[in-house]
Amino acid sequence: MTPLLELRDLVRAFPVRDALGRAKGAVRAVDGVSLAVAEGEVLAIVGESGCGKSTLGRLALRLIEPDAGSIRFMGEDLRALKPADLRRRRRDMQLIFQDPFASLDPRMTVEQAVSEPLRLHGIVPRAQEPARVAELLARVGLRPELARRWPHEFSGGQRQRIAIARSLASRPRLIIGDEPVSALDVSVQAQVINLLQDLIAELRLTFVLISHDLGVVRHIADRVAVMYLGRIVEEGPTEAVFRAARHPYTRALLAAVPGQGGRDGGKAIPLEGDVPSPIDPPSGCRFRTRCPYAEAVCAERMPELEGAAHRAACHLQDRLPPPRPPAEHDAGGERLRRLQAYFTDRHIPTTTMGATKT
Ligand SMILES: Nc1ncnc2c1ncn2[C@@H]1O[C@H](COP(=O)(O)OP(=O)(O)OP(=O)(O)O)[C@@H](O)[C@H]1O
Ligand SMILES: [Mg+2]
């Protein structure tokens, strides 16, 4: 089956200038990313701040131009489309931003904001616009009479619902949500995530979720891609990645979140030190400067993604200790094992352990 979206070897760098405006290098924000998203799939892109997630999302929709690589969407080469054809294609792909303040024009009523894409793409005849707007508002859990109001009259969560209604107006096939809930109150985040999840199922949307909230990602994504300094270091089905992360970086990310596993049987992997500068990334594997397992080969050669459905770019992936299951599922067993180790070290028989009543 051909994927709905297929990115191949995408590269995008941004020039870095000194105080006098002279070019002094380039940030390789996305540096050789290949990724396919199947129709109806929810793919999450995760990674620390600055690793290139937003840049990748914008490249995928050709909102910014890549320096190299290809983007195929619905079987078409997006880079080859003329501006008019690209505009037409845009109705099928939408972006939801983190900040609903920034994405809604304060001078447009809700009705105007939601009907603008309807008109732009000629989705319904003009006379049917109010009815369609009311329908879209209902679909995102807002009362249709709110259509006459202005964005500033709404809470952050409501505003994000309006932004979602607007993005649904053109009946897109693909939506990219760039941290769609992280600017919202924690209490509202779950509601908006549930709404997104319902919409994905109901409208059979293909959704790319950019997020650093691994709890949310595990909850709604079918597949996860982990980025580090402009490259994908691991990619696979969500549960496989969470239960048995292959890349030390993924394990470190998971270990930073309570209850998400990621510790491994060997060394604990704290994410210490700063992310290296993307202007001058380390040779070979970019994670090696923070990786507790790094060997000589890691500095010499850049690892490629290896594997079938679950892939990782790590020279040592077959030699790492197996990941340990999340502590929350195994807290009792873990304590018992530690206790047993204590007694074994001191040559105390442990056969009666667990039988004592206290
Ligand atoms: N327009 C730009 N001009 C210059 N540098 C940029 C530009 N956009 C992004 N960058 C740089 O590219 C790198 C990747 O940025 P990007 O916004 O894609 O990261 P991100 O993973 O989305 O981070 P965050 O989680 O903080 O949103 C960063 O080093 C950033 O400073
Ligand atoms: Mg971002």
Side-chain angles (χ1 to χ4, degrees):
M1 202 184 74
T2 30
L4 184 69
L5 175 70
E6 191 172 15
L7 312 177
R8 210 168 278 169
D9 301 321
L10 277 187
V11 174
R12 172 65 202 235
F14 295 104
V16 181
R17 297 180 191 286
D18 64 13
L20 297 174
R22 291 175 302 212
K24 65 165 194 184
V27 178
R28 282 137 70 160
V30 167
D31 201 12
V33 167
S34 299
L35 197 59
V37 190
E39 179 103 52
E41 184 175 50
V42 180
L43 171 79
I45 300 176
V46 304
E48 284 166 290
S49 184
C51 67
K53 304 181 294 296
S54 296
T55 304
L56 181 62
R58 283 169 171 73
L59 285 173
L61 302 183
R62 221 187 124 191
L63 294 171
I64 52 176
E65 294 295 333
D67 299 328
S70 71
I71 311 160
R72 292 192 79 81
F73 177 65
M74 295 172 73
E76 271 180 336
D77 178 356
L78 278 197
R79 291 194 69 189
L81 289 185
K82 294 195 200 79
D85 295 324
L86 182 63
R87 269 198 298 281
R88 217 168 303 123
R89 254 300 152 250
R90 282 262 151 79
R91 68 173 277 186
D92 295 307
M93 42 198 222
Q94 293 292 328
L95 184 65
I96 301 174
F97 296 91
Q98 170 172 354
D99 183 1
F101 278 93
S103 56
L104 292 173
D105 185 337
R107 294 157 306 176
M108 278 189 177
T109 63
V110 172
E111 167 134 38
Q112 288 167 336
V114 177
S115 58
E116 190 181 48
L118 291 177
R119 198 165 311 157
L120 189 67
H121 297 291
I123 307 289
V124 292
R126 202 132 175 176
Q128 287 173 26
E129 277 177 17
R132 180 74 184 132
V133 169
E135 204 182 298
L136 284 161
L137 291 180
R139 186 145 235 174
V140 298
L142 292 173
R143 282 179 291 119
E145 12 350 331
L146 300 177
R148 299 267 168 72
R149 303 255 188 103
W150 303 90
H152 74 262
E153 298 179 61
F154 293 91
S155 69
Q158 287 173 319
R159 253 191 306 251
Q160 195 59 304
R161 287 174 191 269
I162 298 166
I164 293 169
R166 181 175 148 92
S167 75
L168 292 176
S170 63
R171 299 203 182 106
R173 304 268 296 271
L174 171 74
I175 295 186
I176 297 188
D178 191 351
E179 305 275 6
V181 300
S182 47
L184 305 178
D185 273 5
V186 177
S187 59
V188 182
Q189 288 189 357
Q191 295 169 12
V192 176
I193 284 294
N194 288 344
L195 169 67
L196 285 173
Q197 216 176 0
D198 291 345
L199 292 169
I200 289 165
E202 232 174 87
L203 306 174
R204 300 210 187 94
L205 290 170
T206 305
F207 199 85
V208 175
L209 172 70
I210 296 173
S211 176
H212 55 244
D213 187 332
L214 295 174
V216 167
V217 165
R218 190 170 197 176
H219 186 59
I220 78 168
D222 303 311
R223 220 149 48 83
V224 183
V226 183
M227 284 187 77
Y228 189 76
L229 282 181
R231 293 183 64 87
I232 291 178
V233 297
E234 181 156 4
E235 193 225 307
T238 304
E239 277 311 297
V241 172
F242 275 77
R243 282 172 197 276
R246 293 213 190 131
H247 199 287
Y249 177 62
T250 311
R251 292 185 184 185
L253 272 186
L254 291 172
V257 188
Q260 295 295 2
R263 305 262 329 260
D264 67 33
K267 307 169 198 185
I269 310 178
L271 269 186
E272 274 168 357
D274 288 334
V275 181
S277 163
I279 300 171
D280 188 17
S283 66
C285 171
R286 289 177 182 186
F287 186 57
R288 71 178 166 82
T289 52
R290 297 164 89 195
C291 181
Y293 297 105
E295 296 178 0
V297 61
C298 307
E300 286 155 15
R301 272 192 302 123
M302 174 155 352
E304 296 294 332
L305 283 169
E306 278 170 35
H310 182 182
R311 310 186 294 162
C314 171
H315 292 305
L316 312 175
Q317 57 179 305
D318 296 325
R319 287 193 276 131
L320 297 179
R324 251 195 258 160
E328 67 170 4
H329 299 138
D330 191 30
E334 170 65 20
R335 251 195 314 277
L336 184 63
R337 264 197 302 282
R338 246 189 278 136
L339 214 56
Q340 283 174 328
Y342 176 87
F343 285 106
T344 312
D345 287 350
R346 283 159 190 77
H347 308 289
I348 300 169
T350 58
T351 43
T352 54
M353 272 181 61
T356 30
K357 276 185 263 164
T358 42

